[in-house]
């Protein structure tokens, strides 16, 4: 990088270099690199679009509103990240998946730490208006071996498309539970059929979608998060909004059909009625070491594609400056 111009003579052309020079005093190489790229892209955005003061202030006010509406049960910044596709992008970069493993997707803004440990077969939703659903799953590694003892955090909406935390009069968690896979890697529970629903669109993110002429809907889905490795696979169902999920969370491998319990023996075994809705899914998780190696490989390929010299600190890339 060329020597920065004097801070007393700042121009459109040299302001970026001057900011980099000031930030270069940061002792964290990783933070310094992230800030260098952030400032570069923000300044380039302003220069390329010829950003006006009014537009800049509108953006400032928008972000202020995003912060003001956020709370312990509503994270508008995560919602903003979701609708911009950033959440899925970060998850895909940080949790690359080898072929044959279950893909991850967005966490969403309504995960909580209130879910209670539940036994196999538990009813996780007590919504009387929901269509009963039996969920049968297995959990294996990439070699086909069952993964016992994994904590499986599950959550879904009610039949009206609302998560429990969206109800002010709720008495406790509902539509969510933490299960444990058995010695054969199996876990199962009873829930309700997921329904399509709009993400919260009464705030600044909803107004942004409206201005962009985008709908706020998500397909019916159920969240699964596995404690052992932190991946967040998502099961979705056939839905009119399937290909235009407002938060870009749909992946083909995670779309599953809803079947029916048609076998009396199966119905008796799991204590459900014939004709009940049924979802089955086989999750395949990646070992931490394998995931780390793949993450490093993908990072090296990306850095090489940028044509810049890099080195790694704590398996994270930073510029290799002589």
């Amino acid at each position: 990088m060329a020597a920065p111009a004097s801070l007393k003579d700042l121009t459109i052309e040299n302001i970026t270099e001057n900011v980099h020079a000031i930030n270069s005093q940061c002792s964290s190489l990783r933070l310094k690199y992230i800030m260098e790229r952030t400032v570069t892209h923000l300044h380039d955005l302003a220069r390329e679009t010829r950003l006006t003061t009014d537009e800049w202030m509108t953006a400032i006010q928008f972000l202020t509103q995003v912060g003001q509406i956020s709370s312990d049960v509503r994270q508008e910044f995560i919602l903003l990240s979701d609708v911009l596709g950033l959440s899925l992008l970060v998850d895909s970069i940080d949790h690359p998946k080898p072929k044959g493993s279950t893909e991850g997707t967005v966490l969403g803004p309504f995960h909580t730490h209130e879910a209670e440990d539940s036994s196999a077969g538990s009813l996780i939703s007590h919504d009387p208006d929901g269509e009963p659903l039996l969920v049968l799953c297995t959990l294996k590694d990439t070699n086909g071996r069952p993964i016992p003892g994994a904590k499986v955090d599950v959550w879904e909406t009610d039949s009206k498309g609302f998560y429990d935390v969206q109800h002010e009069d709720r008495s406790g968690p509902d539509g969510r539970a933490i299960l444990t896979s058995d010695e054969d890697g199996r876990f199962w529970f009873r829930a309700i059929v997921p329904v399509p629903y709009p993400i919260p669109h009464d705030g600044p993110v909803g107004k942004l979608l409206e201005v962009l002429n985008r709908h706020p809907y998500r397909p019916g889905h159920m969240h699964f998060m596995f404690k052992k490795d932190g991946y967040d696979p998502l099961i979705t169902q056939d839905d009119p909004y399937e290909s235009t999920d407002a938060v870009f969370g749909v992946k083909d491998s995670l779309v599953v059909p809803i079947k029916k319990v048609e076998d009396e023996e199966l119905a008796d075994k799991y204590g459900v009625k014939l004709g009940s809705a049924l979802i089955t899914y086989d999750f395949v998780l990646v070992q931490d070491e394998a995931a780390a190696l793949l993450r490093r490989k993908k990072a090296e390929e990306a850095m090489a594609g940028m044509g810049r010299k890099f080195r790694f600190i704590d398996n994270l890339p930073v510029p290799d400056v002589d």
Side-chain angles (χ1 to χ4, degrees):
M1 181 182 296
S6 169
L7 293 180
K8 296 180 181 179
D9 186 28
L10 299 177
T11 67
I12 291 175
E13 290 74 24
N14 69 29
I15 179 63
T16 306
E17 293 182 1
N18 276 282
V19 175
H20 290 337
I22 294 297
N23 289 345
S24 67
Q25 302 172 78
C26 177
S27 60
S28 168
L29 294 179
R30 177 64 177 175
L31 177 58
K32 182 166 65 175
Y33 175 49
I34 290 175
M35 288 303 300
E36 186 264 333
R37 300 314 301 157
T38 300
V39 170
T40 295
H41 290 305
L42 284 175
H43 285 201
D44 284 346
L45 168 67
R47 281 188 285 258
E48 291 171 8
T49 63
R50 311 312 294 176
L51 195 68
T52 68
T53 302
D54 286 345
E55 290 169 332
W56 170 78
M57 182 54 70
T58 297
I60 294 295
Q61 292 173 341
F62 170 76
L63 292 175
T64 300
Q65 292 166 3
V66 170
Q68 289 172 335
I69 201 172
S70 296
S71 67
D72 291 340
V73 297
R74 175 171 180 167
Q75 233 306 346
E76 194 82 355
F77 271 109
I78 289 182
L79 197 62
L80 176 60
S81 176
D82 289 347
V83 303
L84 294 178
L86 181 60
S87 299
L88 185 65
L89 177 60
V90 171
D91 180 80
S92 298
I93 291 172
D94 199 34
H95 300 289
K97 307 294 175 60
K99 185 177 180 180
S101 61
T102 303
E103 293 186 277
T105 188
V106 296
L107 175 69
F110 292 111
H111 174 260
T112 74
H113 297 286
E114 297 180 342
E116 300 174 348
D117 287 328
S118 303
S119 58
S122 291
L123 177 65
I124 73 167
S125 175
H126 299 85
D127 182 350
D129 297 322
E131 180 183 354
L133 171 70
L134 174 64
V135 182
L136 305 177
C137 300
T138 64
L139 190 60
K140 298 180 180 180
D141 64 20
T142 52
N143 294 312
R145 296 172 299 203
I147 302 177
K151 292 294 183 180
V152 187
D153 198 340
V154 185
W155 66 103
E156 67 167 337
T157 70
D158 60 21
S159 61
K160 304 297 190 300
F162 293 102
Y163 288 94
D164 56 353
V165 294
Q166 293 178 277
H167 294 287
E168 294 183 359
D169 59 346
R170 72 187 184 113
S171 58
D174 193 45
R176 59 182 78 237
I178 296 179
L179 301 146
T180 304
S181 58
D182 66 17
E183 60 183 11
D184 295 316
R186 297 173 302 185
F187 63 94
W188 68 281
F189 57 95
R190 292 170 295 142
I192 61 173
V193 173
V195 298
Y197 67 89
I199 60 175
H201 56 289
D202 58 341
V205 172
K207 292 178 181 177
L208 175 63
L209 292 181
E210 184 178 352
V211 171
L212 295 173
N213 197 27
R214 286 174 52 184
H215 71 73
Y217 279 88
R218 296 222 61 203
H221 63 276
M222 187 176 292
H223 294 272
F224 294 79
M225 184 166 65
F226 299 91
K227 189 174 182 180
K228 277 198 170 182
D229 50 28
Y231 295 141
D232 181 26
L234 172 70
I235 292 181
T236 60
Q237 66 181 59
D238 294 336
D239 186 276
Y241 292 100
E242 185 176 288
S243 62
T244 55
D245 180 7
V247 303
F248 305 99
V250 172
K251 294 183 178 180
D252 289 346
S253 66
L254 301 177
V255 177
V256 299
I258 292 184
K259 300 175 285 188
K260 296 291 184 181
V261 176
E262 299 177 339
D263 181 84
E264 287 190 16
E265 184 177 345
L266 182 67
D268 291 340
K269 179 179 180 180
Y270 292 103
V272 298
K273 296 180 180 179
L274 276 175
S276 295
L278 170 68
I279 281 180
T280 61
Y281 198 83
D282 300 318
F283 291 95
V284 179
L285 304 185
V286 184
Q287 295 288 338
D288 284 338
E289 183 177 352
L293 289 173
L294 183 58
R295 187 182 305 113
R296 174 69 175 253
K297 178 183 177 183
K298 295 289 186 181
E300 290 174 345
E301 292 173 350
M303 296 303 104
M306 293 174 62
R308 300 175 68 180
K309 293 176 62 178
F310 282 82
R311 60 192 174 99
F312 287 80
I313 296 179
D314 296 329
N315 285 319
L316 295 172
V318 297
D320 188 5
V321 181
D322 295 330

